[in-house]
Amino acid sequence: KRVAVGTPKRNIHMSNIVEEMIFDKQDVLSTPKLKSKRSLAFGKEKDIEKILLEVTPKKPVEETPKRVQRSNSKYVKDSETPKTPSQKLKMIRSGELTPSFKEREGIEHSKLSKNDLQLARERLHVSVVPLSLPCREKEFENIYTFLEGKINDKCGGCMYISGVPGTGKTATVTGVIRALQKQVQEDMLPAFDYLEINGMRLTEPRQAYVHIYRQLTGKTVAWEHAHALLEKRFMTAAPRRITTVLIVDELDILCNRRQDVVYNLLDWPTKTAACLVVVTIANTMDLPERVLMGKVTSRLGLTRLTFQPYTHKQLQEIVTGRLVAAVSGDARRALDICRRATEIADSSKGKEICVNILHVQQALSEMIASAKVQAIKRCSRLEQILLQAIAAEVTRTGVEETYFMGVYTQFESIANFMGGILVPNTGQVLRLCSKLGAERLIICEHTRNDIFQKILLNVSTDDIHYALRVIPEA
Amino acid sequence: MSDGAEELLQIRRFLKERLQRDYTTFRGHDTERENIRQLLQRTAEMAESNSLLLIGPRGVGKTTLINAVLTDLLNNPDFIQNTLVVHLNGYLHTDDKLALKSITIQMQLENACDGKVFGSFAENLAFLLECLKAGDKRSKSVVVILEEFDLFCAHHNQTLLYNLFDVSQSAQAPICILGLTCRLDVIELLEKRVKSRFSHRQIFLFPNADDFSEFVKLFETLLKIPNERELKKHAERVASLKLLQSDQLTFHQNHYDPGKYKFNKRITDRWNKHIDALLQQNNVRQALQSLFDYDVSEAGLKIFIYRLVAQLQNHPGRTQVTSEQITQLISSYNNDTKVEILCGLSILEMCLIISMKHHSEIYDRDPFNFEIIYARFNKFAKVSTGMQNIERGVVLKAFEHLRNLELILPIASCASKVQKEFEMHKLALTYGQIHQAVQRYQVLPTEVTQWSQSSLI
């Protein structure tokens, strides 16, 4: 009975912590102030609880270490920088230690020393996202109105965005968020919280809870705990709650077999208390119908948006928006090709600094070139004969899959026909096989199968004929 | 005399060390080398983020190329101060967890301490990403070298590759990802979102297979002793490797040091002249040609020369590399190891092999078991003079010996419950190999030789 009395009390207490933290964070982002405020509040509560503790013995074992930890970390902060790594880890977990990166020692190259091509290359880098994305105005408008409406009405909702990689989904969504945040600053829109998670950055779907909770409070806790706390936050009504916008990138990775994570993420917006808007992003258009369970799909709703791959003209606009035109369906790809072209132009030391069509063509052929013909040409003579033998065996049997023994017979006859070659023994030919297999010109089984291994050509026979016919004549 | 012996010892040691422990000398492929050098330089100086795949067959010198480029860049103080080199290998870092710990240690992040990383896998990933996110153009650039790149593609969800490529394509700490692999179709292994983030720069490194004269020249440079000026230049280069303060790039710790050697000019002249004369000989060129036909890679040639150099001794006629040694060594390459195993079998085992050959010839390589072979062997043993009273148990033992030598292979699909006399096998030899073995076998009885020619008794 005593436990039954104790549990609800603690629960309320926990949700209080969460609420308090979030509201404090909105005001100022200074941790020490927040700390002291809370520790004051805690001091009062502590006293009350102490009295309670004396009345009800041997109960809150879980709460005591927590408080100890907090005072401990505070102590560390007050005194000196931490010495032991475990203390450091504690600080990382509590969010007090911000991750940093080593700075350069040399002076950075000033903008002045760069020539036009270098500047162009910098601007063409994929990481430089422009303030307004060209050719995505309609999608931008669509997402903007959706989010703006939800924030104004203080209600929750879901949206699903799909499209092949490199079509500007994430860039557009973050652009919308940026525009909305600007509106908030100008007091045109009620304030909102912005959280984002990426499925590929998690080691496991359930880590999503940990990441969301950390973005809310800055603390790292175990996922079970994070889940419980988030559940509390979104289920219980709070008077001063503001809308939370959650962006979920790479949604398909979050789908495990039980789909509990996706379900929870999409179930919270349906609660009136949550004020949560979830925007999910994935590659496939029919992901909800194909992978997700019925109850999850129904919660995802029908607000969907598809990003079409860029057409030739749109890509041209993007590149000229940054600079100069290319051929591909992926904006990242197009930009990389352009960047490579500027490098080629730079190294060719042209007097007039500009990228001509030859440079682009060279970059293009470098990036989408298939090297198989080249690889066959550069094989040793016996490897070439082996490839020919496999092709001959395929023609003889009419089956794609050949056996080593048949290939070896063909090999012997071709080598004898060519003359002047000492025919290698089976062991040597097996070695040649595994070498070609490592390069993936052929696909072969493990060598333990010895002369019974199956061999499959991984290049077309036309490629082999083309590559080998040219050599003897030249 | 002892002076000459001393010199020879020195030459041998020098050549051996240069063959084995010269990790930074890379020959040819100037455009590819320049390309990678510029890429790394831009990463270090301009803080540009890049990704690149270096693809080429085994033994072509992919790792050596990277080492050589890194050595070149060591003269550049900007590079040493402003870059962190992180080195990962697909065979060592078999999953993302291990790879991530290794990255954390090599980048000396805050949750690492003396080679130990604290926190779970998820925490490590989150912390690394936050660190990279915290960085910008002003932070140090990171060069990540991923050897055996194709094995990283097999990791769960390709989380590590996605995140590394994603960092290289967003405004975070400058990072350059260099993947090394021997698979030509490695791009197809990448998931589509990972592929989209990869910059599609691929550099293919192929051996120079068209030109035999290049191969001969390489043979010459690997065997000749450089003059004093060249030695000095090399020594300086090797000395600069000390600047490389990475625990992971260990090649500088045990690099060969040409500064240790000093040769008498007269002796080196004689040695080099002899090599020149050697290469004029026809049989030497023929031997090299047959090696070239089989394997065009530099690694293969180095192993061959190592074996050649190891034969140098202070005996008359052994102090120089001779053409006989070369031709002999090449012909030893063509020895069939299976025939040698066959020649070491007992006569009873040889008889069983011949029975198997007859069975395979008659039934077109149908599988067999012990009983079939024993019956066939018995037919021969009854009429032969020397094989009459061999017990069944002895023959079974011989059969098992053949199985252990993997001259016969059990058929995998066979149920395991079958008794060993009835287990089906197939013969892992060609008829030509058996024929050769019968020819080369010492003191094989005439009746066995005759029986091997025809299955009729």
Side-chain angles (χ1 to χ4, degrees), chain B residues 193-383:
Chain B
R193 51 188 152 222
V194 182
K195 202 166 147 187
S196 166
R197 281 169 175 78
F198 169 57
S199 77
H200 288 270
R201 285 161 200 259
Q202 304 177 60
I203 291 184
F204 291 95
L205 208 61
F206 291 117
N208 203 355
D210 307 330
D211 207 350
F212 177 57
S213 62
E214 287 283 320
F215 192 72
V216 176
K217 207 176 263 167
L218 180 62
F219 180 77
E220 193 185 318
T221 41
L222 284 176
L223 259 183
K224 273 189 175 173
I225 290 167
N227 60 32
E228 227 168 287
R229 212 179 52 231
E230 284 167 344
L231 264 181
K232 213 168 169 186
K233 220 168 83 187
H234 265 291
E236 276 167 15
R237 219 170 92 92
V238 173
S240 76
L241 281 176
K242 298 279 177 290
L243 292 170
L244 201 69
Q245 292 151 341
S246 167
D247 293 333
Q248 299 297 315
L249 291 169
T250 47
F251 65 84
H252 65 284
Q253 291 169 6
N254 198 20
H255 200 277
Y256 106 106
D257 185 9
K260 282 195 305 194
Y261 296 94
K262 232 185 182 86
F263 295 107
N264 189 339
K265 192 159 189 313
R266 192 171 46 84
I267 287 178
T268 53
D269 277 351
R270 202 177 65 203
W271 175 270
N272 289 346
K273 259 195 199 120
H274 178 74
I275 302 290
D276 280 335
L278 205 63
L279 285 170
Q280 296 305 315
Q281 290 179 32
N282 233 351
N283 52 358
V284 172
R285 291 188 84 90
Q286 249 167 24
L288 284 178
Q289 174 79 55
S290 72
L291 184 68
F292 182 69
D293 279 348
Y294 182 64
D295 188 359
V296 288
S297 71
E298 191 178 317
L301 183 66
K302 274 187 172 171
I303 292 171
F304 172 73
I305 297 175
Y306 190 84
R307 289 179 69 180
L308 207 61
V309 169
Q311 290 182 357
L312 291 174
Q313 273 170 18
N314 194 24
H315 291 306
R318 290 298 235 5
T319 55
Q320 291 282 16
V321 178
T322 60
S323 60
E324 288 80 36
Q325 277 176 353
I326 293 174
T327 46
Q328 215 179 5
L329 205 53
I330 290 283
S331 66
S332 80
Y333 268 51
N334 291 322
N335 282 351
D336 195 335
T337 44
K338 275 205 169 167
V339 173
E340 269 159 36
I341 292 175
L342 279 175
C343 287
L345 295 178
S346 70
I347 294 176
L348 172 61
E349 285 154 358
M350 203 64 193
C351 287
L352 288 183
I353 291 277
I354 290 167
S355 309
M356 289 166 194
K357 181 191 133 195
H358 287 328
H359 174 88
S360 302
E361 274 175 340
I362 294 167
Y363 297 105
D364 195 22
R365 288 234 174 225
D366 259 8
F368 49 82
N369 61 19
F370 173 72
E371 293 297 338
I372 296 171
I373 297 304
Y374 184 62
R376 189 167 283 281
F377 167 72
N378 243 355
K379 255 202 283 183
F380 164 71
K382 267 185 202 147
V383 296

Side-chain angles (χ1 to χ4, degrees), chain A residues 343-357:
Chain A
E343 283 174 29
I344 294 169
D346 207 0
S347 60
S348 68
K349 298 274 189 299
K351 268 273 179 280
E352 73 290 6
I353 296 177
C354 66
V355 182
N356 63 30
I357 189 70

Side-chain angles (χ1 to χ4, degrees), chain A residues 260-300:
Chain A
D260 51 338
V261 178
V262 200
Y263 177 80
N264 274 329
L265 287 182
L266 297 176
D267 190 39
W268 289 330
T270 59
K271 307 284 183 274
T272 39
C275 282
L276 178 68
V277 187
V278 179
V279 179
T280 53
I281 304 176
N283 293 140
T284 42
M285 201 165 80
D286 54 347
L287 181 87
E289 285 72 28
R290 213 161 34 83
V291 183
L292 298 175
M293 287 191 269
K295 57 179 182 186
V296 182
T297 315
S298 104
R299 278 172 177 75
L300 185 57

Side-chain angles (χ1 to χ4, degrees), chain A residues 93 102 104 201 332 450, chain B residues 44 108 123 166 196 338:
Chain A
R93 282 195 180 142
K102 287 204 170 121
R104 312 183 150 248
R201 294 202 185 119
R332 292 197 188 102
D450 214 315
Chain B
Q108 298 152 17
E123 281 175 310
D166 197 48
S196 166
K338 275 205 169 167

Side-chain angles (χ1 to χ4, degrees), chain A residues 85-86 88-89 92-93 97-109 114 118 121-122 125-127 165-166 170 196 198 200-203 207 211 214 220 249-250 252-253 283-284 330 332-333 336 339-340 343 347 366-372 374-375 377-383 405 408 420-422 424-429 431-432 435 438-441 448-452 458 471, chain B residues 35 38 42-50 57-58 78 81-82 107-108 110-111 113 118-119 121-123 125-127 129-135 137-142 157-159 162-163 166 168-171 173-174 182-185 191-194 196-202 204 206-210 289 292-296 333-336 338 365 409 426-430 433:
Chain A
S86 52
K88 246 186 204 177
L89 184 71
I92 290 169
R93 282 195 180 142
L97 188 72
T98 50
S100 64
F101 207 71
K102 287 204 170 121
E103 300 268 312
R104 312 183 150 248
E105 285 163 29
I107 321 130
E108 219 210 335
H109 281 246
K114 287 175 184 167
Q118 279 166 341
R121 197 153 56 229
E122 213 165 76
H125 200 279
V126 185
S127 65
T170 314
E196 62 171 339
N198 185 328
M200 285 296 277
R201 294 202 185 119
L202 311 175
T203 53
Q207 287 292 325
H211 279 251
R214 206 190 36 218
T220 308
D249 215 341
E250 315 290 2
D252 47 329
I253 300 294
N283 293 140
T284 42
D330 185 333
R332 292 197 188 102
R333 193 90 172 256
D336 278 326
R339 202 150 58 87
R340 178 74 193 126
E343 283 174 29
S347 60
E366 259 178 39
M367 285 183 158
I368 54 179
S370 155
K372 279 183 175 163
Q374 193 67 9
K377 275 188 188 173
R378 298 301 191 85
C379 280
S380 76
R381 197 154 155 219
L382 290 177
E383 286 164 359
M405 252 193 298
Y408 185 68
I421 299 169
L422 192 66
N425 53 52
T426 48
Q428 282 174 304
V429 178
R431 223 191 102 193
L432 294 179
K435 191 161 176 252
E439 281 179 62
R440 289 299 149 126
L441 286 174
R448 85 165 78 84
N449 289 334
D450 214 315
I451 59 174
F452 297 99
N458 201 23
I471 288 181
Chain B
N35 205 335
Q38 282 183 358
R42 275 203 304 276
T43 310
E45 285 176 3
M46 319 257 196
E48 239 182 76
S49 289
N50 280 307
R58 291 226 181 271
D78 257 12
Q81 286 168 5
N82 295 335
M107 283 173 48
Q108 298 152 17
E110 272 141 340
N111 57 346
C113 177
F118 290 83
F121 175 36
E123 281 175 310
L125 181 66
F127 192 76
L129 291 177
E130 270 174 31
C131 282
L132 289 168
K133 212 185 249 174
K137 291 257 174 193
R138 281 193 308 281
S139 43
K140 278 195 181 187
S141 8
V142 187
N157 276 346
Q158 302 188 347
T159 311
Y162 176 91
N163 286 311
D166 197 48
S168 83
Q169 301 243 313
S170 47
C182 65
R183 281 186 67 157
L184 293 169
D185 57 347
E191 251 190 88
K192 58 184 187 310
R193 51 188 152 222
V194 182
S196 166
R197 281 169 175 78
F198 169 57
S199 77
H200 288 270
R201 285 161 200 259
Q202 304 177 60
F204 291 95
F206 291 117
N208 203 355
D210 307 330
Q289 174 79 55
F292 182 69
D293 279 348
Y294 182 64
D295 188 359
V296 288
Y333 268 51
N334 291 322
N335 282 351
D336 195 335
K338 275 205 169 167
R365 288 234 174 225
L409 303 171
K426 49 194 180 178
L427 181 64
L429 295 163
T430 59
Q433 282 172 326

